[in-house]
């Protein structure tokens, strides 16, 4: 694991986007294309903003979407399809986009996504970490074992409150009960994983990430076992971490 602590969210976004661009460009140079997974949420704003400005042959990139609420219209402000369309897909000349769509026949849609993602390895996944330590919508205690690519999950109360806290929904009752989420197993199959985790709101989750061994109760801890994992923090999200070895990496 490589940890980089940046001064603020903008600096973090530029650093994470630069590393992402390098990896995508290396893959395009080596095999003519790259397969990418993108996550959403407030933590990804600065990274995506910097990423769309990078010099990348986007027409050679295939993008998979990480997770989406069940039954939420893509016109709703909290829709992750809306988020990715506005902040990424409409900004770059990418054609191959696999959205997670929670409004379709869920079973058939998951089968289709699973077939598509299984065709070739994912080169790089940008994976956010939630305030409750979740990755995608795998809330604690997360299922580390299922080998499906995408599953339907029930959102826990903390997760719903966090979505309200970030301003995506007016109240907890407005948050859908379920989501389609890429599984932990599928995320871990990615050849490279990068997490952009800025902001004070993530400080407790980041402390739990460093203080715990791998545990389903802090789902993101499994990322520590990935052979090529880079975690970008800012001084705010890193503010509760007190580890000499981490300070040495600053
Ligand atoms: N399910 C989404 C993920 O796609 C995201 O990566 C993660 C962090 O999001 P945020 O930045 O909103 O905390 O959790 C969100 O709820």
């Amino acid at each position: 694991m490589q940890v980089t602590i940046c001064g603020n969210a903008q600096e973090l976004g530029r650093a994470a986007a630069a590393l992402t661009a390098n990896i995508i460009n290396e893959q395009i140079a080596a095999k003519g294309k790259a397969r990418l997974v993108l996550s959403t949420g407030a933590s990804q704003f600065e990274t995506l903003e910097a990423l769309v400005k990078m010099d990348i042959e986007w027409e050679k990139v295939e993008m998979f979407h990480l997770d989406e609420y069940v039954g939420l219209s893509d016109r709703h402000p909290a829709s992750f399809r809306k988020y990715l369309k506005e902040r990424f897909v409409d900004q770059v000349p990418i054609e191959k986009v696999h959205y997670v769509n929670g409004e379709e026949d869920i079973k058939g849609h998951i089968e289709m996504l699973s077939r598509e993602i299984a065709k070739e390895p994912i080169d790089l996944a940008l994976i956010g970490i939630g305030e409750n330590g979740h990755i995608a919508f795998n809330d604690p205690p997360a299922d580390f074992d299922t080998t499906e690519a995408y599953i339907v999950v029930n959102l826990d109360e903390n997760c719903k409150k966090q979505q309200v806290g970030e301003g995506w929904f007016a109240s907890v009752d407005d948050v859908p009960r379920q989501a389609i989420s890429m599984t932990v197993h599928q995320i871990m199959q990615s050849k490279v994983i990068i997490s952009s985790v800025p902001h004070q709101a993530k400080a407790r989750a980041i402390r739990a990430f460093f203080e715990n061994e791998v545990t389903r109760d802090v789902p993101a801890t499994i990322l520590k076992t990935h052979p090529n994992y880079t975690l970008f923090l800012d001084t705010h999200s890193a503010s509760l971490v007190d580890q000499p070895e981490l300070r040495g990496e600053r």
Side-chain angles (χ1 to χ4, degrees), residues 17-75:
L19 178 59
T20 299
N22 280 347
I23 293 165
I24 292 175
N25 287 336
E26 270 172 23
Q27 292 300 319
I28 292 174
K31 59 186 172 92
K33 60 183 173 180
R35 300 185 104 210
L36 173 70
V37 170
L38 288 184
S39 60
T40 52
S43 57
Q44 307 305 301
F45 284 166
E46 294 83 5
T47 299
L48 288 180
E49 200 180 307
L51 186 60
V52 297
K53 295 183 189 133
M54 290 285 158
D55 192 11
I56 292 171
E57 291 178 274
W58 286 110
E59 55 282 358
K60 296 181 178 170
V61 178
E62 183 172 7
M63 189 275 274
F64 286 85
H65 177 188
L66 190 69
D67 52 5
E68 177 62 293
Y69 298 101
V70 167
L72 195 71
S73 157
D74 63 0
R75 290 182 303 281

Short mmCIF file of all heavy atoms in Angstrom, two decimals, residues 17-75:
data_model
loop_
_atom_site.label_atom_id
_atom_site.label_comp_id
_atom_site.label_asym_id
_atom_site.label_seq_id
_atom_site.Cartn_x
_atom_site.Cartn_y
_atom_site.Cartn_z
N ALA A 17 -5.57 12.10 -10.04
CA ALA A 17 -5.87 12.11 -11.48
C ALA A 17 -4.59 11.89 -12.29
O ALA A 17 -4.61 11.20 -13.31
CB ALA A 17 -6.53 13.42 -11.88
N ALA A 18 -3.48 12.45 -11.83
CA ALA A 18 -2.21 12.28 -12.56
C ALA A 18 -1.78 10.81 -12.54
O ALA A 18 -1.38 10.25 -13.57
CB ALA A 18 -1.13 13.16 -11.95
N LEU A 19 -1.90 10.16 -11.37
CA LEU A 19 -1.55 8.74 -11.29
C LEU A 19 -2.51 7.91 -12.16
O LEU A 19 -2.09 7.00 -12.89
CB LEU A 19 -1.60 8.27 -9.83
CG LEU A 19 -1.31 6.79 -9.60
CD1 LEU A 19 0.07 6.39 -10.12
CD2 LEU A 19 -1.42 6.43 -8.11
N THR A 20 -3.79 8.24 -12.09
CA THR A 20 -4.79 7.53 -12.90
C THR A 20 -4.46 7.65 -14.39
O THR A 20 -4.48 6.65 -15.13
CB THR A 20 -6.19 8.13 -12.62
OG1 THR A 20 -6.48 7.94 -11.24
CG2 THR A 20 -7.27 7.47 -13.46
N ALA A 21 -4.14 8.86 -14.82
CA ALA A 21 -3.81 9.08 -16.24
C ALA A 21 -2.58 8.27 -16.64
O ALA A 21 -2.56 7.65 -17.72
CB ALA A 21 -3.59 10.57 -16.50
N ASN A 22 -1.57 8.24 -15.79
CA ASN A 22 -0.36 7.45 -16.09
C ASN A 22 -0.70 5.99 -16.31
O ASN A 22 -0.23 5.36 -17.26
CB ASN A 22 0.65 7.51 -14.92
CG ASN A 22 1.44 8.79 -14.95
OD1 ASN A 22 1.41 9.50 -15.95
ND2 ASN A 22 2.12 9.09 -13.86
N ILE A 23 -1.51 5.46 -15.41
CA ILE A 23 -1.84 4.02 -15.50
C ILE A 23 -2.67 3.75 -16.74
O ILE A 23 -2.41 2.79 -17.48
CB ILE A 23 -2.57 3.57 -14.21
CG1 ILE A 23 -1.60 3.66 -13.03
CG2 ILE A 23 -3.12 2.15 -14.36
CD1 ILE A 23 -2.25 3.60 -11.68
N ILE A 24 -3.66 4.59 -17.01
CA ILE A 24 -4.49 4.38 -18.20
C ILE A 24 -3.62 4.48 -19.46
O ILE A 24 -3.70 3.62 -20.35
CB ILE A 24 -5.62 5.43 -18.26
CG1 ILE A 24 -6.64 5.17 -17.14
CG2 ILE A 24 -6.33 5.39 -19.63
CD1 ILE A 24 -7.73 6.23 -17.03
N ASN A 25 -2.75 5.48 -19.50
CA ASN A 25 -1.91 5.65 -20.70
C ASN A 25 -0.93 4.49 -20.89
O ASN A 25 -0.69 4.07 -22.02
CB ASN A 25 -1.18 7.00 -20.64
CG ASN A 25 -2.14 8.15 -20.89
OD1 ASN A 25 -3.18 7.96 -21.50
ND2 ASN A 25 -1.80 9.33 -20.39
N GLU A 26 -0.42 3.97 -19.79
CA GLU A 26 0.47 2.79 -19.87
C GLU A 26 -0.29 1.60 -20.46
O GLU A 26 0.23 0.86 -21.29
CB GLU A 26 0.92 2.37 -18.46
CG GLU A 26 2.20 3.02 -17.99
CD GLU A 26 2.42 2.69 -16.51
OE1 GLU A 26 1.90 1.68 -15.99
OE2 GLU A 26 3.11 3.50 -15.87
N GLN A 27 -1.52 1.41 -20.00
CA GLN A 27 -2.32 0.28 -20.49
C GLN A 27 -2.66 0.44 -21.97
O GLN A 27 -2.62 -0.52 -22.74
CB GLN A 27 -3.62 0.14 -19.67
CG GLN A 27 -3.39 -0.28 -18.23
CD GLN A 27 -2.68 -1.63 -18.13
OE1 GLN A 27 -2.97 -2.56 -18.87
NE2 GLN A 27 -1.72 -1.72 -17.22
N ILE A 28 -2.98 1.67 -22.36
CA ILE A 28 -3.30 1.92 -23.78
C ILE A 28 -2.05 1.68 -24.63
O ILE A 28 -2.12 1.06 -25.69
CB ILE A 28 -3.85 3.36 -23.97
CG1 ILE A 28 -5.23 3.47 -23.31
CG2 ILE A 28 -3.92 3.72 -25.46
CD1 ILE A 28 -5.82 4.87 -23.32
N ALA A 29 -0.90 2.11 -24.13
CA ALA A 29 0.35 1.88 -24.88
C ALA A 29 0.65 0.39 -24.99
O ALA A 29 1.10 -0.09 -26.03
CB ALA A 29 1.51 2.61 -24.19
N ALA A 30 0.35 -0.36 -23.93
CA ALA A 30 0.68 -1.79 -23.92
C ALA A 30 -0.31 -2.64 -24.71
O ALA A 30 0.08 -3.59 -25.38
CB ALA A 30 0.74 -2.28 -22.48
N LYS A 31 -1.60 -2.32 -24.63
CA LYS A 31 -2.58 -3.24 -25.25
C LYS A 31 -3.68 -2.52 -26.03
O LYS A 31 -4.68 -3.14 -26.41
CB LYS A 31 -3.17 -4.17 -24.19
CG LYS A 31 -3.89 -3.49 -23.05
CD LYS A 31 -4.31 -4.51 -22.01
CE LYS A 31 -4.85 -3.87 -20.76
NZ LYS A 31 -6.26 -3.66 -20.72
N GLY A 32 -3.50 -1.22 -26.23
CA GLY A 32 -4.44 -0.51 -27.10
C GLY A 32 -5.73 -0.07 -26.45
O GLY A 32 -6.56 0.59 -27.07
N LYS A 33 -5.93 -0.42 -25.17
CA LYS A 33 -7.16 0.00 -24.49
C LYS A 33 -6.98 -0.14 -22.98
O LYS A 33 -6.00 -0.74 -22.51
CB LYS A 33 -8.34 -0.84 -24.95
CG LYS A 33 -8.18 -2.32 -24.68
CD LYS A 33 -9.37 -3.08 -25.24
CE LYS A 33 -9.14 -4.57 -25.14
NZ LYS A 33 -10.21 -5.38 -25.64
N ALA A 34 -7.93 0.40 -22.24
CA ALA A 34 -7.88 0.28 -20.78
C ALA A 34 -9.31 0.13 -20.26
O ALA A 34 -10.26 0.66 -20.85
CB ALA A 34 -7.22 1.52 -20.17
N ARG A 35 -9.44 -0.61 -19.17
CA ARG A 35 -10.75 -0.81 -18.52
C ARG A 35 -10.71 -0.21 -17.13
O ARG A 35 -9.85 -0.56 -16.32
CB ARG A 35 -11.09 -2.29 -18.44
CG ARG A 35 -11.15 -2.96 -19.79
CD ARG A 35 -11.60 -4.40 -19.65
NE ARG A 35 -12.98 -4.57 -20.04
CZ ARG A 35 -13.81 -5.49 -19.54
NH1 ARG A 35 -13.39 -6.28 -18.57
NH2 ARG A 35 -15.04 -5.59 -19.98
N LEU A 36 -11.68 0.66 -16.87
CA LEU A 36 -11.65 1.51 -15.68
C LEU A 36 -12.96 1.38 -14.91
O LEU A 36 -14.04 1.29 -15.51
CB LEU A 36 -11.50 2.96 -16.18
CG LEU A 36 -11.60 4.13 -15.22
CD1 LEU A 36 -10.37 4.16 -14.30
CD2 LEU A 36 -11.66 5.45 -16.02
N VAL A 37 -12.88 1.39 -13.56
CA VAL A 37 -14.08 1.46 -12.72
C VAL A 37 -14.09 2.82 -12.03
O VAL A 37 -13.05 3.24 -11.48
CB VAL A 37 -14.08 0.35 -11.64
CG1 VAL A 37 -15.19 0.58 -10.61
CG2 VAL A 37 -14.25 -1.02 -12.30
N LEU A 38 -15.23 3.50 -12.06
CA LEU A 38 -15.34 4.79 -11.37
C LEU A 38 -16.38 4.74 -10.28
O LEU A 38 -17.47 4.18 -10.45
CB LEU A 38 -15.72 5.90 -12.35
CG LEU A 38 -14.66 6.35 -13.34
CD1 LEU A 38 -15.18 7.52 -14.17
CD2 LEU A 38 -13.35 6.74 -12.64
N SER A 39 -16.06 5.37 -9.15
CA SER A 39 -17.04 5.53 -8.08
C SER A 39 -17.50 6.98 -8.05
O SER A 39 -17.07 7.81 -8.87
CB SER A 39 -16.46 5.10 -6.73
OG SER A 39 -15.33 5.86 -6.40
N THR A 40 -18.39 7.28 -7.14
CA THR A 40 -19.04 8.58 -7.12
C THR A 40 -18.95 9.16 -5.70
O THR A 40 -18.07 8.78 -4.95
CB THR A 40 -20.50 8.43 -7.57
OG1 THR A 40 -21.11 7.40 -6.77
CG2 THR A 40 -20.59 8.04 -9.03
N GLY A 41 -19.82 10.07 -5.36
CA GLY A 41 -19.82 10.66 -4.03
C GLY A 41 -19.01 11.94 -3.99
O GLY A 41 -18.20 12.23 -4.88
N ALA A 42 -19.22 12.72 -2.93
CA ALA A 42 -18.54 14.01 -2.78
C ALA A 42 -17.02 13.86 -2.77
O ALA A 42 -16.29 14.76 -3.20
CB ALA A 42 -19.02 14.69 -1.50
N SER A 43 -16.53 12.71 -2.30
CA SER A 43 -15.09 12.51 -2.21
C SER A 43 -14.41 12.42 -3.57
O SER A 43 -13.19 12.58 -3.66
CB SER A 43 -14.80 11.23 -1.42
OG SER A 43 -15.43 10.12 -2.03
N GLN A 44 -15.19 12.16 -4.61
CA GLN A 44 -14.59 11.99 -5.94
C GLN A 44 -14.63 13.26 -6.80
O GLN A 44 -14.13 13.28 -7.92
CB GLN A 44 -15.28 10.84 -6.70
CG GLN A 44 -15.34 9.54 -5.92
CD GLN A 44 -13.98 9.07 -5.45
OE1 GLN A 44 -13.08 8.85 -6.25
NE2 GLN A 44 -13.80 8.93 -4.14
N PHE A 45 -15.26 14.31 -6.27
CA PHE A 45 -15.43 15.54 -7.06
C PHE A 45 -14.10 16.03 -7.65
O PHE A 45 -13.97 16.24 -8.85
CB PHE A 45 -15.99 16.68 -6.20
CG PHE A 45 -17.46 16.60 -5.88
CD1 PHE A 45 -18.00 17.40 -4.88
CD2 PHE A 45 -18.31 15.74 -6.56
CE1 PHE A 45 -19.35 17.35 -4.57
CE2 PHE A 45 -19.67 15.67 -6.26
CZ PHE A 45 -20.18 16.49 -5.25
N GLU A 46 -13.13 16.26 -6.79
CA GLU A 46 -11.88 16.90 -7.23
C GLU A 46 -11.07 15.98 -8.14
O GLU A 46 -10.40 16.45 -9.07
CB GLU A 46 -11.03 17.32 -6.02
CG GLU A 46 -11.64 18.41 -5.17
CD GLU A 46 -12.66 17.91 -4.15
OE1 GLU A 46 -12.83 16.66 -4.03
OE2 GLU A 46 -13.29 18.75 -3.47
N THR A 47 -11.12 14.68 -7.87
CA THR A 47 -10.37 13.73 -8.70
C THR A 47 -10.96 13.70 -10.11
O THR A 47 -10.23 13.76 -11.11
CB THR A 47 -10.40 12.33 -8.07
OG1 THR A 47 -9.77 12.41 -6.78
CG2 THR A 47 -9.66 11.31 -8.92
N LEU A 48 -12.28 13.62 -10.21
CA LEU A 48 -12.91 13.58 -11.54
C LEU A 48 -12.71 14.90 -12.29
O LEU A 48 -12.47 14.91 -13.49
CB LEU A 48 -14.39 13.24 -11.43
CG LEU A 48 -14.71 11.79 -11.05
CD1 LEU A 48 -16.21 11.57 -10.98
CD2 LEU A 48 -14.09 10.81 -12.04
N GLU A 49 -12.80 15.98 -11.54
CA GLU A 49 -12.62 17.30 -12.17
C GLU A 49 -11.23 17.40 -12.80
O GLU A 49 -11.07 17.92 -13.91
CB GLU A 49 -12.78 18.37 -11.08
CG GLU A 49 -13.09 19.75 -11.58
CD GLU A 49 -13.22 20.71 -10.41
OE1 GLU A 49 -14.00 20.42 -9.49
OE2 GLU A 49 -12.50 21.72 -10.41
N ALA A 50 -10.23 16.89 -12.10
CA ALA A 50 -8.86 16.91 -12.64
C ALA A 50 -8.69 15.85 -13.73
O ALA A 50 -7.99 16.07 -14.73
CB ALA A 50 -7.85 16.68 -11.52
N LEU A 51 -9.35 14.71 -13.56
CA LEU A 51 -9.17 13.59 -14.51
C LEU A 51 -9.66 13.95 -15.91
O LEU A 51 -9.01 13.60 -16.90
CB LEU A 51 -9.91 12.35 -13.99
CG LEU A 51 -9.71 11.07 -14.79
CD1 LEU A 51 -8.24 10.66 -14.84
CD2 LEU A 51 -10.55 9.93 -14.19
N VAL A 52 -10.79 14.65 -16.01
CA VAL A 52 -11.33 14.95 -17.35
C VAL A 52 -10.44 15.94 -18.11
O VAL A 52 -10.61 16.09 -19.32
CB VAL A 52 -12.80 15.47 -17.29
CG1 VAL A 52 -13.72 14.39 -16.71
CG2 VAL A 52 -12.92 16.76 -16.50
N LYS A 53 -9.52 16.57 -17.40
CA LYS A 53 -8.61 17.51 -18.08
C LYS A 53 -7.31 16.83 -18.52
O LYS A 53 -6.46 17.45 -19.15
CB LYS A 53 -8.26 18.68 -17.15
CG LYS A 53 -9.47 19.53 -16.79
CD LYS A 53 -9.04 20.72 -15.93
CE LYS A 53 -10.25 21.44 -15.38
NZ LYS A 53 -10.15 21.74 -13.96
N MET A 54 -7.14 15.58 -18.14
CA MET A 54 -5.89 14.87 -18.44
C MET A 54 -5.82 14.46 -19.92
O MET A 54 -6.85 14.27 -20.57
CB MET A 54 -5.80 13.61 -17.58
CG MET A 54 -5.59 13.89 -16.12
SD MET A 54 -3.89 14.41 -15.81
CE MET A 54 -4.10 15.27 -14.27
N ASP A 55 -4.58 14.32 -20.39
CA ASP A 55 -4.37 13.93 -21.77
C ASP A 55 -4.48 12.40 -21.88
O ASP A 55 -3.52 11.68 -21.60
CB ASP A 55 -2.96 14.43 -22.18
CG ASP A 55 -2.76 14.33 -23.67
OD1 ASP A 55 -3.74 14.08 -24.39
OD2 ASP A 55 -1.60 14.48 -24.11
N ILE A 56 -5.66 11.94 -22.24
CA ILE A 56 -5.94 10.50 -22.31
C ILE A 56 -6.75 10.25 -23.58
O ILE A 56 -7.63 11.03 -23.91
CB ILE A 56 -6.76 10.05 -21.07
CG1 ILE A 56 -5.92 10.15 -19.79
CG2 ILE A 56 -7.28 8.61 -21.24
CD1 ILE A 56 -6.70 9.95 -18.51
N GLU A 57 -6.44 9.15 -24.27
CA GLU A 57 -7.26 8.78 -25.45
C GLU A 57 -8.51 8.07 -24.94
O GLU A 57 -8.57 6.84 -24.90
CB GLU A 57 -6.45 7.86 -26.37
CG GLU A 57 -5.28 8.55 -27.07
CD GLU A 57 -4.51 7.55 -27.92
OE1 GLU A 57 -3.62 6.88 -27.36
OE2 GLU A 57 -4.81 7.42 -29.11
N TRP A 58 -9.50 8.86 -24.56
CA TRP A 58 -10.68 8.30 -23.88
C TRP A 58 -11.44 7.32 -24.76
O TRP A 58 -12.14 6.44 -24.27
CB TRP A 58 -11.60 9.44 -23.42
CG TRP A 58 -11.05 10.16 -22.23
CD1 TRP A 58 -10.56 11.43 -22.19
CD2 TRP A 58 -10.92 9.65 -20.90
NE1 TRP A 58 -10.14 11.74 -20.91
CE2 TRP A 58 -10.35 10.66 -20.11
CE3 TRP A 58 -11.23 8.43 -20.30
CZ2 TRP A 58 -10.08 10.49 -18.75
CZ3 TRP A 58 -10.97 8.25 -18.95
CH2 TRP A 58 -10.40 9.27 -18.20
N GLU A 59 -11.33 7.50 -26.11
CA GLU A 59 -12.06 6.58 -26.98
C GLU A 59 -11.53 5.15 -26.88
O GLU A 59 -12.16 4.21 -27.34
CB GLU A 59 -12.05 7.08 -28.44
CG GLU A 59 -10.71 7.35 -29.07
CD GLU A 59 -10.07 8.68 -28.64
OE1 GLU A 59 -10.66 9.45 -27.88
OE2 GLU A 59 -8.95 8.93 -29.10
N LYS A 60 -10.37 4.99 -26.21
CA LYS A 60 -9.81 3.65 -26.02
C LYS A 60 -10.07 3.12 -24.60
O LYS A 60 -9.50 2.13 -24.17
CB LYS A 60 -8.30 3.67 -26.30
CG LYS A 60 -8.00 4.02 -27.75
CD LYS A 60 -6.52 4.02 -28.06
CE LYS A 60 -6.31 4.33 -29.55
NZ LYS A 60 -4.91 4.57 -29.86
N VAL A 61 -10.91 3.83 -23.87
CA VAL A 61 -11.18 3.45 -22.48
C VAL A 61 -12.62 2.94 -22.35
O VAL A 61 -13.54 3.49 -22.95
CB VAL A 61 -10.97 4.66 -21.54
CG1 VAL A 61 -11.30 4.28 -20.09
CG2 VAL A 61 -9.53 5.17 -21.64
N GLU A 62 -12.79 1.88 -21.58
CA GLU A 62 -14.11 1.32 -21.27
C GLU A 62 -14.35 1.53 -19.78
O GLU A 62 -13.50 1.18 -18.96
CB GLU A 62 -14.10 -0.17 -21.62
CG GLU A 62 -15.42 -0.87 -21.42
CD GLU A 62 -15.38 -2.30 -21.98
OE1 GLU A 62 -14.29 -2.77 -22.39
OE2 GLU A 62 -16.44 -2.95 -21.99
N MET A 63 -15.49 2.11 -19.43
CA MET A 63 -15.72 2.46 -18.03
C MET A 63 -16.88 1.66 -17.43
O MET A 63 -17.93 1.53 -18.06
CB MET A 63 -16.02 3.97 -17.93
CG MET A 63 -16.08 4.50 -16.53
SD MET A 63 -17.68 4.30 -15.74
CE MET A 63 -18.51 5.77 -16.31
N PHE A 64 -16.66 1.12 -16.26
CA PHE A 64 -17.72 0.45 -15.49
C PHE A 64 -18.06 1.29 -14.26
O PHE A 64 -17.18 1.85 -13.61
CB PHE A 64 -17.27 -0.96 -15.04
CG PHE A 64 -17.26 -1.94 -16.15
CD1 PHE A 64 -16.15 -2.06 -16.98
CD2 PHE A 64 -18.37 -2.75 -16.39
CE1 PHE A 64 -16.15 -2.96 -18.03
CE2 PHE A 64 -18.36 -3.66 -17.43
CZ PHE A 64 -17.25 -3.77 -18.26
N HIS A 65 -19.33 1.33 -13.98
CA HIS A 65 -19.88 2.11 -12.87
C HIS A 65 -19.94 1.20 -11.63
O HIS A 65 -20.25 0.03 -11.74
CB HIS A 65 -21.26 2.58 -13.34
CG HIS A 65 -22.07 3.34 -12.38
ND1 HIS A 65 -23.38 3.67 -12.61
CD2 HIS A 65 -21.77 3.85 -11.16
CE1 HIS A 65 -23.86 4.36 -11.60
NE2 HIS A 65 -22.91 4.47 -10.70
N LEU A 66 -19.66 1.78 -10.47
CA LEU A 66 -19.51 0.99 -9.24
C LEU A 66 -20.84 0.61 -8.59
O LEU A 66 -21.02 -0.53 -8.16
CB LEU A 66 -18.67 1.80 -8.25
CG LEU A 66 -18.19 1.10 -7.00
CD1 LEU A 66 -17.16 0.03 -7.33
CD2 LEU A 66 -17.59 2.10 -6.02
N ASP A 67 -21.75 1.57 -8.46
CA ASP A 67 -22.97 1.27 -7.71
C ASP A 67 -24.06 2.31 -7.98
O ASP A 67 -23.77 3.43 -8.41
CB ASP A 67 -22.68 1.19 -6.20
CG ASP A 67 -21.95 2.41 -5.65
OD1 ASP A 67 -21.73 3.39 -6.40
OD2 ASP A 67 -21.60 2.41 -4.46
N GLU A 68 -25.29 1.90 -7.73
CA GLU A 68 -26.44 2.80 -7.95
C GLU A 68 -27.62 2.36 -7.08
O GLU A 68 -27.77 1.16 -6.78
CB GLU A 68 -26.83 2.78 -9.44
CG GLU A 68 -28.04 3.61 -9.82
CD GLU A 68 -27.90 5.11 -9.57
OE1 GLU A 68 -27.83 5.50 -8.37
OE2 GLU A 68 -27.86 5.90 -10.54
N TYR A 69 -28.43 3.32 -6.68
CA TYR A 69 -29.62 3.01 -5.89
C TYR A 69 -30.63 2.24 -6.73
O TYR A 69 -30.77 2.50 -7.93
CB TYR A 69 -30.28 4.31 -5.42
CG TYR A 69 -29.40 5.14 -4.51
CD1 TYR A 69 -28.71 6.25 -5.01
CD2 TYR A 69 -29.28 4.83 -3.16
CE1 TYR A 69 -27.91 7.02 -4.19
CE2 TYR A 69 -28.47 5.60 -2.33
CZ TYR A 69 -27.80 6.68 -2.85
OH TYR A 69 -27.00 7.44 -2.04
N VAL A 70 -31.37 1.36 -6.07
CA VAL A 70 -32.48 0.67 -6.72
C VAL A 70 -33.68 1.61 -6.78
O VAL A 70 -34.05 2.23 -5.77
CB VAL A 70 -32.84 -0.63 -5.96
CG1 VAL A 70 -34.18 -1.21 -6.44
CG2 VAL A 70 -31.73 -1.67 -6.14
N GLY A 71 -34.25 1.73 -7.97
CA GLY A 71 -35.50 2.47 -8.13
C GLY A 71 -35.36 3.98 -8.19
O GLY A 71 -36.37 4.68 -8.17
N LEU A 72 -34.14 4.49 -8.27
CA LEU A 72 -33.98 5.95 -8.29
C LEU A 72 -33.82 6.43 -9.74
O LEU A 72 -32.98 5.91 -10.48
CB LEU A 72 -32.74 6.35 -7.48
CG LEU A 72 -32.65 7.84 -7.13
CD1 LEU A 72 -33.70 8.21 -6.07
CD2 LEU A 72 -31.26 8.20 -6.60
N SER A 73 -34.62 7.42 -10.09
CA SER A 73 -34.57 7.97 -11.46
C SER A 73 -33.21 8.62 -11.72
O SER A 73 -32.60 9.20 -10.82
CB SER A 73 -35.68 9.01 -11.60
OG SER A 73 -35.35 9.91 -12.64
N ASP A 74 -32.77 8.55 -12.97
CA ASP A 74 -31.49 9.22 -13.30
C ASP A 74 -31.67 10.75 -13.41
O ASP A 74 -30.73 11.45 -13.75
CB ASP A 74 -30.84 8.62 -14.55
CG ASP A 74 -31.68 8.81 -15.80
OD1 ASP A 74 -32.77 9.41 -15.71
OD2 ASP A 74 -31.24 8.34 -16.87
N ARG A 75 -32.86 11.23 -13.12
CA ARG A 75 -33.05 12.69 -13.03
C ARG A 75 -32.98 13.17 -11.58
O ARG A 75 -32.92 14.36 -11.30
CB ARG A 75 -34.41 13.09 -13.65
CG ARG A 75 -34.44 12.91 -15.16
CD ARG A 75 -35.78 13.35 -15.76
NE ARG A 75 -36.91 12.62 -15.19
CZ ARG A 75 -37.26 11.38 -15.54
NH1 ARG A 75 -36.57 10.74 -16.45
NH2 ARG A 75 -38.29 10.80 -14.97
#
